[in-house]
Each structure stands twice: as C-alpha cells, then as structure tokens.
Amino acid sequence: MSSERIAAIVGVAESDLGETPGKTVLQLQAQAAKAALEDAGFEKGDVDALFTAGNWAWSPNLMLAEYLGIQPKFTDGTNIGGSSFEAHLGHAVAGIRAGLFDVALITYGSTQRTDRLRQRLSPYVTLSEQYERSFGLPTPVGAYALAAMRHMHQYGTTSEQLAEIAVATRKWATMNEKAMMREPIEIADVLSSRWIAEPLHLLDCCLVTDGGGAVVVASKAAAARAKKAPVWVLGHGETHTHNTISNMPDLTVTGARESGKRAFEMAGVTHSEIDVAEIYDSFTITVLLTLEALGFCKPGEGGAFVSGQRTAPGGDFPMNTNGGGLSYCHPGMYGIFLLIEATRQLRGECGPRQVEHARLALVNGTGGVLSSTSTAILGRD
Amino acid sequence: MKVDPTFPRPVFDGDSTPFWEGLKQHELLIQQCKDCEQYIFYPRSICPHCFSESVSFVPAQGSGVIYSYTVVHRAFGPFAKETPFVIGLIDLREGVRMMARIQGPREAVAIGKAVRVAYHDVDDELTLPAFELV
Ligand SMILES: [Zn+2]
C-alpha cells in the first residue's frame, strides 16, 4: 500500500430495508444519516459537505439539505446511476485533499418497491433515448440481456456459470439477517426460474426493494476524533462510456477496465492483495463482466472464474458478502450498500459472514445500462 | 390504425426529424461526417469522432449483421401483450449500430447472421425500423 491517508469512511448505516410502506425517501435518508453519524460518533453540526443522488426531486441536494437542516459548504449531486455513491466517495476524498471540507455525508433513499414506479412508461421519448424506447426493451434488464447474449456468443459463457453467482450470493444472504431472500438456492433453481429477457432468468436479476443508506467520510484529522477505526479510501477511479446500450462500444467490456486500473494505481496494491470484493450485482452478468474488466481474470474467463462457488462463503474469492443486490436489497441505485458492507467487513463487524483478516476491500459500482463505473479500494490500518 | 395511447413515441426534434421522416418514406437515413468521413448514428449536430459540424444525412444500404439480441419475455405497458419478441442490436455495413426488433422465426435468430432493414408502420405518424433475416 503506497497511497497516502487522506480521508476515511468513519460511519455507515442502512435505513429500514425491504418494504417500507408509509415511509418517504426523506425519512429513510434521515434515519440512515442519523445512524451513520452515530456510528461515527459525530453530530449533524460536523457535516460540512453533502452528497446525494436520486430522481425523486428536481434537485435532491436542495430538498434533502433543507429537510435535514444542513447548510453545506460543498455540495455534489452527481448522478451516474447506481455507481453514483462510489463517485461521491471519490469526490469527497478529492475535496478533502483540496482542503475544502472535513466531513462529508453521502445518502441515498428509495421507495421504489412500495411506489411500483418501475413499470410506468412515458408516452413520449425525447432527445437521444428516442432511438431505443419504442421497441419495447425492458430497461434496464433488456440491455444486460443483450450483453450476456454477446458474452455467451463470444466466449461460450453458460447460464450455469451465471447461476453460480446467484447461488453463491444467496449463501452469503443466509448469514445476513437484513437480507430479503435467505432461502438457499441451487443452480437448477436459477435455470428453472422464468425467463425475463433471454439469456437472463428471474434469479439472474436483482431484487426490487425500498431502502436507504448513508456513509460518513472524514479527513485524516477528523477521522482521529471518530468512535471507530478509520476505513481509508486508498484509491478511486470513475468513468462512463455511454448512455444507451446501442452506444456501448463493446458489450463485453465495462468502464471498470479504466476506473479499476486507476483505483489500483492510486492505491498501489495488486489484485492478489484484495481480501473481499463488493461488486455491483444488478444482474449476474454485471458481476461477470466487472470481474473481467477489473482484471481479476482475462476477458472471456469470467465464467470459469466464478465456477465451483468460488465467490461463496469458504471460497477463495469472497464477494458480495451481504447477499448483494441479488438477495439482500436493491432499492434502485444500490451502490451505497457496497460501501456500507465493505466498511463493516474491514472493521470486522460482520458476525457469521465475516471474512477473516479482511484488510483490503475492492468496491465497484455500475450504473445505468453498464454505462458508468466507479471503483474504490478501501483498507484498514 | 389505433395505437395504444401509452405507446412511447419519439419526439421529433432538431436532430431526429430527418431520420423519422425518412422512415415514413421507407428510407433509412444515417449521417456521415464530411471531414473525417465516418458514419454516425444516432443523428446529431456535431461529429462525435472529430467534432466537425459538417455532418449530413445519407441513405444507408440497409444491410448489416446481428451484434446481439434478446428474446423479451417480460415487458411493460403496451409491449406486455406482445411477448415473446426479439430485439437486436444491428451493426450496419456502414459501421454504425442501432437497436430494432428482429422479425421472423426466433429460432433462426443468431448473432452474426445477416439482416436487412424492413419498415414497421406504427401509424401515419410513425414508422420504426425493423430487421429481417436474409
Ligand atoms: Zn468527423
């Protein structure tokens, strides 16, 4: 590890998860923010930078800051989909490095399950999405199906190999009492679940839940006042490659190739040093493509890499240890939960699902239709 | 023809109007940059390759190959009743990629197969491109 200690995650929390009827996105974020600040041993008055992303207001930052009674001196509403929060983390470190603020609060909240918003289609499609939406491709799953089909064609990847990811992730979920789906499944269950968009089955797809989360990031000086040991942000990288799936340059290669490379370089660590990986799993194919793009295996070898339950508890590549978006929760933009779990693993707070001696974690968010990626490498002292 | 009022319709604009008007005449128009000579899809006011503003519409040959496809089993809104249907990403001979429905027997659809453009008249106001196996 050659990276400087600039900033650390010092507080994390979820709000209520799963199905939260009667709760608003503001309530969920307030609940998570308060709990994350308590986890840090900080107070609201310590927060001087605010980061959030969502599409529940024309300006989520304005609405959330007003609701929480925060007047930030730095504000960032970067919205690149589910990877926004890893980007927020990187931006927070940059701001802290520049000396602009000391304590950042990152939040997310969604009531998409209760609202049943996902099935609404607008009858008018504007700007550069008008060349896709009239064909009826379900978004985002249809785009990920196109990528999976291409990967299978190009490399011979199989549905069984994708199913390995869903099965391993469910095993982790059985050890997380907050996970929505905790019944063990087998590869045959994934393959016999109904088609959503070929080659993706229902159990290749993430859950649709409500929920929120919050992460507190502090400068080295502020982190010294925190209640718990700091989880240092050692490296970060972000990029986006396209908005619509027709414009993804290569459906088998995500931007994680670039964002991951930069994160590894900044952190000064190698792949073999990573103890635990939290990889955005909107769909099983998302994970497989990300592992290849990050360089944990070569292009086309993702299927072999995840075979034999390698990412399951007891496997040699512990991944998505909270049960992931596939089995724990997935309130639309899942990225914040990757940071929460990585932090808990590095603190040794994960009880039965704790990865022993975890010192270094890699987090990779993916947003849109494989559109954006943001990678962070975290480590404890 | 009576179209479901929830059908998501493209809003023709300063970039897209020639494309959609061309389709109504059963003509597939893409763009080409006069400076770097690369083809461009979707239509825009500036070349994403070299940033030239000398871009103009040209007829596409209308043939290409299937880059990828999916068979949709769960769809929303007006598309729910049409499942299963096949959507593909088509690489046109000119080197641009576009999304469209693929017509014909789904068992015959495969990546790498040659296709050519067909036209699906939704109503008097809208024609969508589609592709059929050749
Ligand atoms: Zn050009």
Side-chain angles (χ1 to χ4, degrees):
Chain A
M1 280 182 263
S2 61
S3 126
E4 276 179 275
R5 291 346 189 215
I6 302 288
I9 296 175
V10 294
V12 295
E14 300 120 319
S15 71
D16 293 346
L17 302 174
E19 200 146 5
T20 61
K23 291 272 168 65
T24 73
V25 292
L26 296 170
Q27 289 174 326
L28 293 177
Q29 286 176 99
Q31 182 193 14
K34 187 175 173 63
L37 285 167
E38 277 169 11
D39 188 50
F42 287 4
E43 290 173 358
K44 176 170 83 84
D46 294 315
V47 175
D48 47 15
L50 183 67
F51 296 73
T52 191
N55 37 31
W56 36 266
W58 78 267
S59 172
N61 288 61
L62 295 188
M63 190 184 282
L64 183 74
E66 178 186 274
Y67 187 88
L68 297 178
I70 290 173
Q71 185 186 340
K73 60 179 171 189
F74 189 100
T75 190
D76 181 337
T78 298
N79 188 342
I80 51 171
S83 61
S84 297
F85 312 95
E86 285 71 36
H88 292 169
L89 178 68
H91 301 179
V93 175
I96 288 170
R97 184 192 290 269
L100 302 178
F101 55 86
D102 278 307
V103 177
L105 173 66
I106 307 172
T107 72
Y108 178 65
S110 165
T111 52
Q112 63 161 9
R113 184 183 178 90
T114 300
D115 298 344
R116 312 212 179 277
L117 278 176
R118 285 163 71 90
Q119 295 173 25
R120 276 184 219 164
L121 286 184
S122 162
Y124 298 102
V125 195
T126 63
L127 300 174
S128 58
E129 292 186 352
Q130 65 181 280
Y131 311 100
E132 287 197 354
R133 289 290 170 88
S134 303
F135 301 111
L137 189 76
T139 299
V141 60
Y144 286 82
L146 288 165
M149 196 71 93
R150 181 71 201 180
H151 200 275
M152 289 176 165
H153 169 79
Q154 213 164 300
Y155 296 116
T157 305
T158 64
S159 290
E160 286 79 0
Q161 290 172 329
L162 291 178
E164 290 265 7
I165 296 168
V167 171
T169 307
R170 181 64 62 86
K171 286 180 185 164
W172 287 108
T174 64
M175 297 187 284
N176 181 0
E177 61 187 18
K178 291 178 182 163
M180 179 178 263
M181 306 297 280
R182 302 183 61 194
E183 282 294 304
I185 53 172
E186 296 179 13
I187 286 174
D189 297 321
V190 182
L191 301 186
S192 64
S193 64
R194 62 190 167 86
W195 288 121
I196 301 297
E198 293 180 35
L200 299 181
H201 299 85
L202 177 68
L203 292 180
D204 286 300
C205 303
C206 63
L207 307 172
V208 177
T209 73
D210 301 331
V215 171
V216 180
V217 186
S219 66
K220 187 174 184 179
R225 294 186 275 112
K227 213 158 68 180
K228 295 181 179 171
V231 171
W232 300 105
V233 185
L234 303 174
H236 168 259
E238 67 189 43
T239 192
H240 39 87
T241 49
H242 60 282
N243 178 51
T244 48
I245 195 65
S246 335
N247 288 282
M248 182 168 182
D250 178 341
L251 263 70
T252 66
V253 180
T254 82
R257 191 172 61 180
E258 307 307 322
S259 63
K261 187 165 173 279
R262 285 193 284 274
F264 272 109
E265 282 170 4
M266 195 185 295
V269 303
T270 61
H271 290 76
S272 60
E273 291 179 87
I274 300 294
D275 299 305
V276 56
E278 308 296 343
I279 306 285
Y280 202 108
D281 59 344
S282 44
F283 303 93
T284 50
I285 185 66
T286 319
V287 175
L288 192 137
L289 295 181
T290 303
L291 291 171
E292 292 181 6
L294 288 172
F296 283 105
C297 58
K298 293 202 180 99
E301 293 182 354
F305 185 87
V306 299
S307 290
Q309 291 297 287
R310 185 173 191 173
T311 69
D316 69 7
F317 193 84
M319 181 187 80
N320 297 348
T321 50
N322 54 5
L326 292 169
S327 289
Y328 149 68
C329 76
H330 195 290
M333 288 160 66
Y334 172 73
I336 202 162
F337 301 97
L338 302 171
L339 296 171
I340 293 170
E341 176 68 6
T343 299
R344 289 179 176 156
Q345 284 288 347
L346 294 176
R347 286 172 169 177
E349 294 178 339
C350 288
R353 67 177 195 278
Q354 179 64 43
V355 175
E356 265 189 83
H357 312 302
R359 292 181 58 83
L360 272 178
L362 180 140
V363 172
N364 191 91
T366 303
V369 287
L370 295 162
S371 310
S372 68
T373 65
S374 184
T375 314
I377 294 177
L378 309 176
R380 64 174 165 87
D381 283 317
Chain B
M1 265 181 286
K2 188 88 172 122
V3 181
D4 191 315
T6 65
F7 184 87
R9 284 177 173 276
V11 175
F12 300 6
D13 63 24
D15 282 325
S16 70
T17 298
F19 172 71
W20 294 117
E21 292 297 337
L23 286 170
K24 277 198 224 173
Q25 310 303 317
H26 287 198
E27 185 171 40
L28 180 63
L29 298 179
I30 58 177
Q31 287 176 310
Q32 189 175 21
C33 173
K34 288 208 170 75
D35 286 312
C36 74
E37 299 188 342
Q38 295 207 62
Y39 290 95
I40 301 164
F41 186 78
Y42 50 85
R44 55 197 96 179
S45 61
I46 196 163
C47 172
H49 307 290
C50 75
F51 236 42
S52 166
E53 291 176 313
S54 295
V55 290
S56 53
F57 282 92
V58 294
Q61 292 176 52
S63 53
V65 296
I66 299 173
Y67 174 74
S68 192
Y69 73 96
T70 178
V71 184
V72 176
H73 291 265
R74 184 161 188 257
F76 299 115
F79 306 110
K81 58 184 182 294
E82 298 177 2
T83 58
F85 55 85
V86 183
I87 292 182
L89 294 178
I90 310 303
D91 282 345
L92 294 186
R93 192 167 287 169
E94 289 83 358
V96 298
R97 184 174 294 161
M98 59 191 299
M99 181 183 289
R101 292 275 184 105
I102 299 176
Q103 300 173 342
R106 49 170 285 203
E107 295 73 23
V109 173
I111 290 175
K113 279 205 173 174
V115 289
R116 80 163 286 109
V117 69
Y119 298 94
H120 170 54
D121 296 317
V122 176
D123 58 19
D124 290 345
E125 300 302 315
L126 180 65
T127 297
L128 294 174
F131 285 85
E132 55 192 17
L133 298 164
V134 293

